[in-house]
Amino acid sequence: MKKTEVVLSRRAIRDLSKLPLQIKNSLQLWVNEVTFQGILEVRKIPGYHDEPLQGTRFGERSVRLNRSYRIFYLQNNEATRILITVIEINKHRY
C-alpha cells in the first residue's frame, strides 16, 4: 500500500486561521484518518460525503467537515505515495 501524505495549500492555511475550533478539529481528524488509513478507506466513511466535483472544479473532490463547512482537495498518485493537497476550506452556501 502506498503511503498517503496530506498537505495544505497557502489558501487552505489562510482559510484555517478563520475557522471555528470545532472545524479545525474535524479537519485534523480527517487528515489523521487519511494519513493512517489511506484516502481510499476514508472515502468509504459515509459521514464525510467524499465526492468528485464537476464543472469548473472538475478533477477536485470535496469532503464535508460538518453541515456547513467542507474542504476541496486534489489527489495526485505518485510512484511511492499518494499526495492529497487541500486547496480550500470554506462555508458552503445553501
Side-chain angles (χ1 to χ4, degrees):
M1 183 165 86
K2 292 182 181 180
K3 182 179 188 235
T4 304
E5 183 179 337
V6 179
V7 296
L8 300 177
S9 69
R10 286 184 183 181
R11 179 177 181 164
I13 292 170
R14 187 174 60 240
D15 294 343
L16 192 60
S17 68
K18 303 171 190 172
L19 296 177
L21 182 60
Q22 177 185 1
I23 302 305
K24 291 178 184 180
N25 290 340
S26 295
L27 174 63
Q28 187 60 53
L29 177 64
W30 180 80
V31 168
N32 290 344
E33 289 178 344
V34 168
T35 301
F36 295 113
Q37 295 181 32
I39 189 65
L40 298 178
E41 289 301 314
V42 175
R43 281 187 186 149
K44 296 176 186 176
I45 301 172
Y48 286 126
H49 300 277
D50 190 320
E51 58 192 7
L53 301 176
Q54 299 176 354
T56 58
R57 290 195 176 258
F58 183 79
E60 297 176 13
R61 297 186 69 92
S62 76
V63 171
R64 294 185 189 178
L65 298 176
N66 73 2
R67 182 160 166 75
S68 299
Y69 285 89
R70 60 186 185 163
I71 63 172
F72 299 94
Y73 73 91
L74 287 170
Q75 178 178 334
N76 195 3
N77 295 330
E78 298 176 354
T80 58
R81 67 181 178 160
I82 298 173
L83 181 63
I84 303 296
T85 304
V86 176
I87 302 168
E88 180 182 346
I89 309 160
N90 71 21
K91 189 168 187 175
H92 186 64
R93 294 181 192 102
Y94 290 98

